[in-house]
Amino acid sequence: MRRPFVISNFALALALAPAVLFAQTPPAAQPPATAPPPAAGQPPAAAAPKLVLTSPAGALLVPIKPDQTAVFDEFAKKLLAGLAKSQDPILKQQASGFKIYKSAEPIGTNALYVVMIEPVVPNSEYDLFGMLLKTMTPEEQRAPETAEMWKRFTAMFASGPSRLSLTPVGGQ
């Protein structure tokens, strides 16, 4: 009679393993993959793009702390306005296929924003902070309120964005 008891307990433990794993305390919030610009007076270092999309279309899934959605909305407006006025040919090309959506469904306890990009500009940087920085004038970058703005924008992320490189299916 002992064997059925052991097998049923083992089966029960195996069945409950996913629940135990998902019930664990979530890890501390990771800083976003995007980073704010360097401090005023320091020139940004030229580097290879950090957030590149490698297909004709792409998406960034951006989890935002639930109490920080107004800050992300401010960030999105500032980014889209900057892209619209930019004279940088790459940014203008990126702006042509750049849309930001707020998901009605949360991701865990966080709000989810989706940045859709189609068409993708090959080998271009899609780091949101970097794109916003490129839209700002040197005077705007040096303004005292800009440092506070970057602090607010950095604090809104629940974690860094997830990148999806998307390829059309079925001859679309």
Side-chain angles (χ1 to χ4, degrees):
M1 285 290 163
R2 195 162 215 221
R3 185 170 297 258
F5 177 74
V6 171
I7 291 173
S8 63
N9 280 346
F10 177 74
L12 180 61
L14 189 61
L16 292 176
V20 170
L21 291 174
F22 286 112
Q24 298 296 317
T25 305
Q30 302 270 331
T34 58
Q42 294 180 351
K50 297 179 282 188
L51 190 57
V52 177
L53 297 167
T54 58
S55 58
L60 301 175
L61 305 178
V62 186
I64 299 296
K65 295 174 185 172
D67 62 339
Q68 298 292 309
T69 58
V71 177
F72 187 84
D73 292 344
E74 175 190 348
F75 174 82
K77 287 177 187 172
K78 191 166 194 66
L79 177 59
L80 292 171
L83 290 173
K85 71 173 178 138
S86 177
Q87 297 304 310
D88 181 310
I90 298 293
L91 286 177
K92 286 174 98 167
Q93 199 176 0
Q94 286 176 304
S96 71
F98 198 88
K99 293 181 181 168
I100 302 174
Y101 299 93
K102 183 176 182 185
S103 172
E105 296 79 22
I107 184 164
T109 59
N110 299 308
L112 178 63
Y113 286 82
V114 179
V115 180
M116 295 298 301
I117 304 140
E118 185 176 15
V120 165
V121 178
N123 301 314
S124 292
E125 179 67 73
Y126 282 96
D127 171 74
L128 300 177
F129 278 123
M131 292 175 74
L132 178 58
L133 181 64
K134 288 180 185 177
T135 69
M136 297 171 69
T137 66
E139 294 78 29
E140 290 172 320
Q141 292 177 19
R142 287 189 299 268
E145 62 272 10
T146 300
E148 275 306 310
M149 177 189 76
W150 288 124
K151 285 179 188 174
R152 280 193 340 272
F153 289 169
T154 302
M156 71 186 167
F157 288 94
S159 66
S162 297
R163 170 185 48 204
L164 299 174
S165 293
L166 305 170
T167 303
V169 177
Q172 297 175 356

